[in-house]
Structure formats: C-alpha cells, structure tokens
Amino acid sequence: MPHPPDILIAGAGPAGSAAAVHLAQAGFRVLLVDRAAFPREKPCSEYLSPEAVRHLADLGVLATLERDGAQPLLGTRVMGPRGARLEGRFSEAAVRPFRDAGLALPRRILDQRLVEAAVAAGATLCERTMVEELLHDGGGVAGAVLREASGARRAVHARLVIGADGLRSVVARRIAGHPGSRGAGALLRQLDPEAPAAGAALRPHGRPSAPWLSRLAFVAHVEDVPGLDGFAEMHVSDAGYVGLNRIGAGLANVALVVPATLGARARGRLDSWMFDELERFPGVRGRVDRRRVTRRVLATGPFAYRARRVITDGALLVGDAADFFDPFTGEGITSALRGARLAADVAARALADGGPATEARLAPYLAARRAAFLGKWTMERLVGYGMIVPRLFDRAVARLERRGLAHTFIGVTGDYVPASAVLNPWFLARMVL
Ligand SMILES: Cc1cc2nc3c(=O)[nH]c(=O)nc-3n(C[C@H](O)[C@H](O)[C@H](O)COP(=O)(O)OP(=O)(O)OC[C@H]3O[C@@H](n4cnc5c(N)ncnc54)[C@H](O)[C@@H]3O)c2cc1C
C-alpha cells in the first residue's frame, strides 16, 4: 500500500473481513491484518442461522459458499438434561426468516471466502502479521505496531484502528489501558491452539460477564455420525453440552462445552478425553467414532467476556473483541457480521470530512450496538443461567415444545425474531409455569 491506510483492521475473521468489505466499498483505504495465514482453522460449531445467511448474501459470498458445499440447516433440536426435548424449525418461527434454511460449513472455508471478498472490494491483506501495540498521538490511537512472521516490526499510521482480533483482543486490552493479564497458566496455552506464544496474554481481555460460567470448548470434525439430518443437535447435561452439526457430505462438527474445572482434566490428552466425555451424553453415546476424526481436536475458552471500552479516540472494537458470551446461543458470527455493518456505517460518517475519528464521532456506534444487541445479550444470559439449574432447564425445554413455542425460541437465538418475542411476561410464564 503506497499511502498509509485510512483504516487499519486487526483480525480478518468474520468481523474484520466484513468491516473491510463495507469500508473498502465506501472508498476508504483499508489495511486488513491477521496473524494467521488463510485458510485457517477456528474452533467453532460452524452453525449459521438464516440471519447470518442474509449478511453473507449482502457481502456477496453466499453463492460461492453454496458452491463450496455448505449444508442447509433447518433448525435446532435441544435435548435437556432430564430427557425433555424440543425441535425449533427456522421457517416456523413468529417472524419469517430471510430464507427457510441456515447454513453449516467449515470455518476454514467461510473465513477464507470472507477474506477474499475483502480483497476483491479493495482492501489490502497482510497475513502472518500481528498487531502488537497501538500507536498514540495526542492521547488518541493513531495506528499500530505490526510484527511480521520474520520478527520484523513496522509502525503503520491510520486514522482509525478497528480491533476485530477476537476473544483475546490486543486492541481491546490496549484501549482499556492495561497490558493484559499474563501467565494464565500452561493449561490454557496447551488447550488453546489460538493462544499466542508463551508469556503473552492468554486470558480474554475485559471483564468476565459471568465469572462462575467459565467454560472450555473442544471441537472435532468427525465422519459418518449416524442420525444427523438437516437439524443441529444440542445435548445438555448437568455438566455442559454437546453440539452436533452436519457441515459437509458425511462430515459432522462435534463440539463439547464443559465447565473449565472439568475441561482442565483434558490436559495432555485432548482427543481421548473429549471422546470419553462424549459417551456421558445419552443422545450422543455410540454415535461419534474417534477413528473417523478428520481434524485434530481444537480447544478454546474461557468465554463470557465483555470489553471494558468499545470505542476511544481513533479506535473501536467489533465482533468477539467487543464481547462474546457462550456458544450455546452464540450466533457469534451473525453478531460479528452485524456489528461490522454498524461499525462501518459509523466509521464512514466519522471519517467522511477528513477529520479525526474522535470518541465523540464514534459514539453512535455504542448506541447502535445497544439497540441491535441488548435483547440478545439478555437472552443469552437467561439461557446460560438456566443451564446451571438442570431441572429448570429441562422444564423450560418441555414447555417450549409442548406449547408450540420452540420455533420462535430458536428464531430469537437465530437473531431474526426480536428478543422481545421471548423476553415478555407471557412467554416467560409459559416457558416455566
Ligand atoms: C466453541 C465455540 C463454538 C462456536 N460456535 C458458533 C456457531 O456455531 N455459530 C456462530 O455463529 N458462532 C459460533 N461461535 C462464535 C464465533 O466463533 C465467534 O463469535 C466469531 O468467530 C467471531 O468472529 P470475529 O471475527 O470477531 O473473531 P475471530 O473469528 O476469532 O477472528 C479473529 C481473527 O483475529 C486474528 N487475530 C487475533 N489476534 C490478532 C493480532 N494481535 N493481530 C492480528 N490478528 C489477530 C485471529 O487470527 C483471527 O483470524 C462459537 C464460538 C466457540 C468458542
């Protein structure tokens, strides 16, 4: 890039790539930096609701993803810890979705296609390059120090830095004014393939939004899991849950999420521990053959963190860098894509007259996020807390199914039915009474 970029985006996951597409299309010079080289793996259940599909269509990648073999996803079945079950079909929710089906496909493909879209829109991509530090000028953020794979460092000035660098965001730590917690322990370093090199900050930035909900996730790709159809399955037990999701012809995503104290036992034997644990779930037992694994088990966590600051002079956060609660109602990709749209709109207005992207000019982004996500944040916590009381959770699952509310519930978790459809006294009473 001959001139300094207008906007430097740290992280080319769904949030960073989508923001890059929108801002490059709006005519800004965008530098998109990722420490990984694409295609890269990412521990994720790889479930996309119809709302995510709408964003992918807007970004111009939907047809390509379908050609890549993305599987149609009709909805979700939830199996409760005491035997209750529900089936929520996207097309039967209170609000009609963008399409009747969501999609499921490996992140390796999804994220690669989004990066390609960013480059096609005009963004410059720098892979194997880490954002290490932020540059400051007069108190505001003025760019970043990048470290390339060779170890070479260079300073890049930009009018705006967007932190889209995920759950362990360096940008979030720096704009919160602290260097990050160090030495979170060898365990997470060993468990988490995304964890930076030893000695770097390992814990997510910001503050735990539910410290007692500290969980770890283990994700595998496994062939020939019997009984999988167009529905994702969530099997909940007293100590965590398992998600099964068909992501390709004969290929399933298998995700196990457990309390961090339990997950710590995986130390040194990630694969065997995960497959042993799966056998504890009655609806999963005997279905996942460890000999049919096609990708090594990836581990990540803990989650449930929220950034202390989402905007400051010269910088803002988007996607997991801003907040992430739990994969169960996750829809993190939809939030990342939607957040990127909101961030890009505000950033484009803030930078339009050539002036600085001050915190005051970026403030509408906070309001837009609140309007877009407040209901979802509340809903996520409701489900997260409900899971801690298995009897209550089971009761709610049974009521939702019996009273024909399961479709709407799944539509809310899928982000296309407003959360108010669930967060009202009538619905909540029918769910638990
Ligand atoms: C177990 C699990 C299952 C999930 N399942 C689902 C699901 O089924 N559906 C769903 O919608 N969501 C799911 N999520 C959530 C989803 O994965 C995230 O919300 C989503 O990936 C957020 O996108 P992002 O772009 O913000 O961050 P990421 O996808 O994490 O991308 C961040 C990028 O930043 C890069 N990066 C990090 N640090 C730096 C740095 N210092 N410099 C440069 N680059 C950097 C990384 O390499 C990465 O490419 C799940 C999450 C977990 C943990």
Side-chain angles (χ1 to χ4, degrees), residues 210-231:
W212 35 269
L213 212 68
S214 182
R215 289 174 171 152
L216 299 178
F218 302 82
V219 186
H221 284 176
V222 185
E223 285 174 334
D224 298 329
V225 174
L228 269 189
D229 52 17
F231 283 80

PDB file of all heavy atoms in Angstrom, residues 210-231:
ATOM      1  N   ALA A 210     -19.730 -13.282  33.362  1.00  0.00           N
ATOM      2  CA  ALA A 210     -20.329 -14.267  34.267  1.00  0.00           C
ATOM      3  C   ALA A 210     -19.205 -15.198  34.726  1.00  0.00           C
ATOM      4  O   ALA A 210     -19.051 -16.287  34.193  1.00  0.00           O
ATOM      5  CB  ALA A 210     -21.413 -15.051  33.539  1.00  0.00           C
ATOM      6  N   PRO A 211     -18.408 -14.757  35.722  1.00  0.00           N
ATOM      7  CA  PRO A 211     -17.197 -15.478  36.079  1.00  0.00           C
ATOM      8  C   PRO A 211     -17.460 -16.933  36.468  1.00  0.00           C
ATOM      9  O   PRO A 211     -16.645 -17.804  36.197  1.00  0.00           O
ATOM     10  CB  PRO A 211     -16.646 -14.701  37.271  1.00  0.00           C
ATOM     11  CG  PRO A 211     -17.510 -13.534  37.486  1.00  0.00           C
ATOM     12  CD  PRO A 211     -18.644 -13.561  36.529  1.00  0.00           C
ATOM     13  N   TRP A 212     -18.621 -17.210  37.073  1.00  0.00           N
ATOM     14  CA  TRP A 212     -18.913 -18.580  37.506  1.00  0.00           C
ATOM     15  C   TRP A 212     -19.385 -19.442  36.348  1.00  0.00           C
ATOM     16  O   TRP A 212     -19.675 -20.604  36.500  1.00  0.00           O
ATOM     17  CB  TRP A 212     -19.957 -18.559  38.634  1.00  0.00           C
ATOM     18  CG  TRP A 212     -20.941 -17.456  38.442  1.00  0.00           C
ATOM     19  CD1 TRP A 212     -20.840 -16.195  38.938  1.00  0.00           C
ATOM     20  CD2 TRP A 212     -22.121 -17.493  37.665  1.00  0.00           C
ATOM     21  NE1 TRP A 212     -21.890 -15.448  38.524  1.00  0.00           N
ATOM     22  CE2 TRP A 212     -22.704 -16.221  37.743  1.00  0.00           C
ATOM     23  CE3 TRP A 212     -22.757 -18.469  36.913  1.00  0.00           C
ATOM     24  CZ2 TRP A 212     -23.876 -15.908  37.091  1.00  0.00           C
ATOM     25  CZ3 TRP A 212     -23.923 -18.159  36.263  1.00  0.00           C
ATOM     26  CH2 TRP A 212     -24.472 -16.880  36.362  1.00  0.00           C
ATOM     27  N   LEU A 213     -19.443 -18.831  35.146  1.00  0.00           N
ATOM     28  CA  LEU A 213     -19.854 -19.587  33.965  1.00  0.00           C
ATOM     29  C   LEU A 213     -18.625 -19.871  33.097  1.00  0.00           C
ATOM     30  O   LEU A 213     -18.717 -19.937  31.891  1.00  0.00           O
ATOM     31  CB  LEU A 213     -20.852 -18.737  33.179  1.00  0.00           C
ATOM     32  CG  LEU A 213     -21.945 -19.477  32.402  1.00  0.00           C
ATOM     33  CD1 LEU A 213     -22.914 -20.133  33.353  1.00  0.00           C
ATOM     34  CD2 LEU A 213     -22.684 -18.518  31.498  1.00  0.00           C
ATOM     35  N   SER A 214     -17.489 -20.026  33.738  1.00  0.00           N
ATOM     36  CA  SER A 214     -16.252 -20.206  32.990  1.00  0.00           C
ATOM     37  C   SER A 214     -16.237 -21.590  32.346  1.00  0.00           C
ATOM     38  O   SER A 214     -16.265 -22.606  33.023  1.00  0.00           O
ATOM     39  CB  SER A 214     -15.082 -20.053  33.960  1.00  0.00           C
ATOM     40  OG  SER A 214     -13.892 -20.167  33.279  1.00  0.00           O
ATOM     41  N   ARG A 215     -16.197 -21.609  31.010  1.00  0.00           N
ATOM     42  CA  ARG A 215     -16.288 -22.876  30.283  1.00  0.00           C
ATOM     43  C   ARG A 215     -15.179 -23.006  29.253  1.00  0.00           C
ATOM     44  O   ARG A 215     -14.683 -22.003  28.748  1.00  0.00           O
ATOM     45  CB  ARG A 215     -17.626 -22.972  29.557  1.00  0.00           C
ATOM     46  CG  ARG A 215     -18.800 -23.173  30.495  1.00  0.00           C
ATOM     47  CD  ARG A 215     -20.103 -23.124  29.727  1.00  0.00           C
ATOM     48  NE  ARG A 215     -21.213 -23.522  30.564  1.00  0.00           N
ATOM     49  CZ  ARG A 215     -22.453 -23.106  30.406  1.00  0.00           C
ATOM     50  NH1 ARG A 215     -22.751 -22.262  29.442  1.00  0.00           N
ATOM     51  NH2 ARG A 215     -23.403 -23.529  31.194  1.00  0.00           N
ATOM     52  N   LEU A 216     -14.860 -24.247  28.936  1.00  0.00           N
ATOM     53  CA  LEU A 216     -13.915 -24.539  27.853  1.00  0.00           C
ATOM     54  C   LEU A 216     -14.646 -25.326  26.780  1.00  0.00           C
ATOM     55  O   LEU A 216     -15.611 -26.048  27.078  1.00  0.00           O
ATOM     56  CB  LEU A 216     -12.740 -25.376  28.370  1.00  0.00           C
ATOM     57  CG  LEU A 216     -11.865 -24.758  29.466  1.00  0.00           C
ATOM     58  CD1 LEU A 216     -10.788 -25.749  29.900  1.00  0.00           C
ATOM     59  CD2 LEU A 216     -11.220 -23.457  28.983  1.00  0.00           C
ATOM     60  N   ALA A 217     -14.189 -25.206  25.551  1.00  0.00           N
ATOM     61  CA  ALA A 217     -14.827 -25.932  24.440  1.00  0.00           C
ATOM     62  C   ALA A 217     -13.788 -26.773  23.700  1.00  0.00           C
ATOM     63  O   ALA A 217     -12.625 -26.377  23.581  1.00  0.00           O
ATOM     64  CB  ALA A 217     -15.466 -24.939  23.474  1.00  0.00           C
ATOM     65  N   PHE A 218     -14.239 -27.926  23.225  1.00  0.00           N
ATOM     66  CA  PHE A 218     -13.397 -28.861  22.469  1.00  0.00           C
ATOM     67  C   PHE A 218     -14.162 -29.181  21.181  1.00  0.00           C
ATOM     68  O   PHE A 218     -15.329 -29.570  21.246  1.00  0.00           O
ATOM     69  CB  PHE A 218     -13.173 -30.137  23.278  1.00  0.00           C
ATOM     70  CG  PHE A 218     -12.537 -29.867  24.619  1.00  0.00           C
ATOM     71  CD1 PHE A 218     -13.312 -29.452  25.703  1.00  0.00           C
ATOM     72  CD2 PHE A 218     -11.174 -29.975  24.787  1.00  0.00           C
ATOM     73  CE1 PHE A 218     -12.731 -29.169  26.926  1.00  0.00           C
ATOM     74  CE2 PHE A 218     -10.580 -29.697  26.004  1.00  0.00           C
ATOM     75  CZ  PHE A 218     -11.358 -29.290  27.080  1.00  0.00           C
ATOM     76  N   VAL A 219     -13.512 -29.009  20.048  1.00  0.00           N
ATOM     77  CA  VAL A 219     -14.242 -29.149  18.787  1.00  0.00           C
ATOM     78  C   VAL A 219     -13.498 -30.104  17.847  1.00  0.00           C
ATOM     79  O   VAL A 219     -12.291 -29.953  17.630  1.00  0.00           O
ATOM     80  CB  VAL A 219     -14.407 -27.777  18.082  1.00  0.00           C
ATOM     81  CG1 VAL A 219     -15.291 -27.920  16.845  1.00  0.00           C
ATOM     82  CG2 VAL A 219     -14.996 -26.747  19.032  1.00  0.00           C
ATOM     83  N   ALA A 220     -14.259 -31.079  17.298  1.00  0.00           N
ATOM     84  CA  ALA A 220     -13.669 -32.043  16.354  1.00  0.00           C
ATOM     85  C   ALA A 220     -14.496 -32.083  15.076  1.00  0.00           C
ATOM     86  O   ALA A 220     -15.679 -31.721  15.077  1.00  0.00           O
ATOM     87  CB  ALA A 220     -13.640 -33.432  16.994  1.00  0.00           C
ATOM     88  N   HIS A 221     -13.867 -32.529  13.995  1.00  0.00           N
ATOM     89  CA  HIS A 221     -14.589 -32.867  12.758  1.00  0.00           C
ATOM     90  C   HIS A 221     -14.547 -34.388  12.637  1.00  0.00           C
ATOM     91  O   HIS A 221     -13.463 -34.974  12.672  1.00  0.00           O
ATOM     92  CB  HIS A 221     -13.922 -32.239  11.534  1.00  0.00           C
ATOM     93  CG  HIS A 221     -14.190 -30.769  11.408  1.00  0.00           C
ATOM     94  ND1 HIS A 221     -13.622 -29.981  10.430  1.00  0.00           N
ATOM     95  CD2 HIS A 221     -14.995 -29.943  12.125  1.00  0.00           C
ATOM     96  CE1 HIS A 221     -14.057 -28.737  10.563  1.00  0.00           C
ATOM     97  NE2 HIS A 221     -14.883 -28.686  11.584  1.00  0.00           N
ATOM     98  N   VAL A 222     -15.730 -34.995  12.493  1.00  0.00           N
ATOM     99  CA  VAL A 222     -15.804 -36.460  12.511  1.00  0.00           C
ATOM    100  C   VAL A 222     -16.694 -36.927  11.356  1.00  0.00           C
ATOM    101  O   VAL A 222     -17.769 -36.354  11.124  1.00  0.00           O
ATOM    102  CB  VAL A 222     -16.403 -36.956  13.853  1.00  0.00           C
ATOM    103  CG1 VAL A 222     -16.360 -38.475  13.929  1.00  0.00           C
ATOM    104  CG2 VAL A 222     -15.660 -36.356  15.033  1.00  0.00           C
ATOM    105  N   GLU A 223     -16.274 -37.978  10.682  1.00  0.00           N
ATOM    106  CA  GLU A 223     -17.063 -38.520   9.567  1.00  0.00           C
ATOM    107  C   GLU A 223     -18.120 -39.486  10.082  1.00  0.00           C
ATOM    108  O   GLU A 223     -17.930 -40.156  11.097  1.00  0.00           O
ATOM    109  CB  GLU A 223     -16.147 -39.272   8.599  1.00  0.00           C
ATOM    110  CG  GLU A 223     -15.313 -38.349   7.737  1.00  0.00           C
ATOM    111  CD  GLU A 223     -14.317 -39.127   6.888  1.00  0.00           C
ATOM    112  OE1 GLU A 223     -13.927 -40.241   7.282  1.00  0.00           O
ATOM    113  OE2 GLU A 223     -13.925 -38.597   5.844  1.00  0.00           O
ATOM    114  N   ASP A 224     -19.191 -39.572   9.302  1.00  0.00           N
ATOM    115  CA  ASP A 224     -20.208 -40.621   9.463  1.00  0.00           C
ATOM    116  C   ASP A 224     -20.802 -40.709  10.861  1.00  0.00           C
ATOM    117  O   ASP A 224     -20.825 -41.780  11.474  1.00  0.00           O
ATOM    118  CB  ASP A 224     -19.616 -41.981   9.061  1.00  0.00           C
ATOM    119  CG  ASP A 224     -19.196 -41.974   7.599  1.00  0.00           C
ATOM    120  OD1 ASP A 224     -19.834 -41.252   6.805  1.00  0.00           O
ATOM    121  OD2 ASP A 224     -18.213 -42.658   7.261  1.00  0.00           O
ATOM    122  N   VAL A 225     -21.279 -39.590  11.370  1.00  0.00           N
ATOM    123  CA  VAL A 225     -22.031 -39.614  12.636  1.00  0.00           C
ATOM    124  C   VAL A 225     -23.467 -39.991  12.278  1.00  0.00           C
ATOM    125  O   VAL A 225     -24.139 -39.249  11.555  1.00  0.00           O
ATOM    126  CB  VAL A 225     -21.978 -38.244  13.332  1.00  0.00           C
ATOM    127  CG1 VAL A 225     -22.877 -38.218  14.558  1.00  0.00           C
ATOM    128  CG2 VAL A 225     -20.541 -37.882  13.700  1.00  0.00           C
ATOM    129  N   PRO A 226     -23.963 -41.146  12.730  1.00  0.00           N
ATOM    130  CA  PRO A 226     -25.291 -41.570  12.304  1.00  0.00           C
ATOM    131  C   PRO A 226     -26.400 -40.691  12.878  1.00  0.00           C
ATOM    132  O   PRO A 226     -26.247 -40.095  13.939  1.00  0.00           O
ATOM    133  CB  PRO A 226     -25.404 -43.006  12.862  1.00  0.00           C
ATOM    134  CG  PRO A 226     -24.400 -43.085  13.953  1.00  0.00           C
ATOM    135  CD  PRO A 226     -23.316 -42.098  13.644  1.00  0.00           C
ATOM    136  N   GLY A 227     -27.502 -40.605  12.143  1.00  0.00           N
ATOM    137  CA  GLY A 227     -28.704 -39.943  12.653  1.00  0.00           C
ATOM    138  C   GLY A 227     -28.735 -38.452  12.432  1.00  0.00           C
ATOM    139  O   GLY A 227     -29.704 -37.791  12.811  1.00  0.00           O
ATOM    140  N   LEU A 228     -27.677 -37.866  11.837  1.00  0.00           N
ATOM    141  CA  LEU A 228     -27.692 -36.408  11.629  1.00  0.00           C
ATOM    142  C   LEU A 228     -28.475 -36.072  10.366  1.00  0.00           C
ATOM    143  O   LEU A 228     -28.259 -36.674   9.309  1.00  0.00           O
ATOM    144  CB  LEU A 228     -26.268 -35.884  11.471  1.00  0.00           C
ATOM    145  CG  LEU A 228     -25.545 -35.441  12.728  1.00  0.00           C
ATOM    146  CD1 LEU A 228     -24.242 -34.759  12.346  1.00  0.00           C
ATOM    147  CD2 LEU A 228     -26.405 -34.485  13.543  1.00  0.00           C
ATOM    148  N   ASP A 229     -29.384 -35.101  10.504  1.00  0.00           N
ATOM    149  CA  ASP A 229     -30.129 -34.658   9.323  1.00  0.00           C
ATOM    150  C   ASP A 229     -29.922 -33.150   9.182  1.00  0.00           C
ATOM    151  O   ASP A 229     -28.868 -32.648   9.522  1.00  0.00           O
ATOM    152  CB  ASP A 229     -31.600 -35.057   9.445  1.00  0.00           C
ATOM    153  CG  ASP A 229     -32.194 -34.593  10.765  1.00  0.00           C
ATOM    154  OD1 ASP A 229     -31.583 -33.718  11.412  1.00  0.00           O
ATOM    155  OD2 ASP A 229     -33.267 -35.098  11.153  1.00  0.00           O
ATOM    156  N   GLY A 230     -30.915 -32.448   8.717  1.00  0.00           N
ATOM    157  CA  GLY A 230     -30.735 -31.011   8.496  1.00  0.00           C
ATOM    158  C   GLY A 230     -30.843 -30.169   9.760  1.00  0.00           C
ATOM    159  O   GLY A 230     -30.818 -28.946   9.690  1.00  0.00           O
ATOM    160  N   PHE A 231     -30.990 -30.820  10.934  1.00  0.00           N
ATOM    161  CA  PHE A 231     -31.084 -30.072  12.192  1.00  0.00           C
ATOM    162  C   PHE A 231     -29.785 -30.189  12.975  1.00  0.00           C
ATOM    163  O   PHE A 231     -29.194 -31.276  13.033  1.00  0.00           O
ATOM    164  CB  PHE A 231     -32.218 -30.628  13.063  1.00  0.00           C
ATOM    165  CG  PHE A 231     -33.580 -30.201  12.602  1.00  0.00           C
ATOM    166  CD1 PHE A 231     -34.199 -30.842  11.544  1.00  0.00           C
ATOM    167  CD2 PHE A 231     -34.235 -29.141  13.217  1.00  0.00           C
ATOM    168  CE1 PHE A 231     -35.453 -30.444  11.105  1.00  0.00           C
ATOM    169  CE2 PHE A 231     -35.490 -28.731  12.787  1.00  0.00           C
ATOM    170  CZ  PHE A 231     -36.103 -29.381  11.725  1.00  0.00           C
TER     171      PHE A 231
END
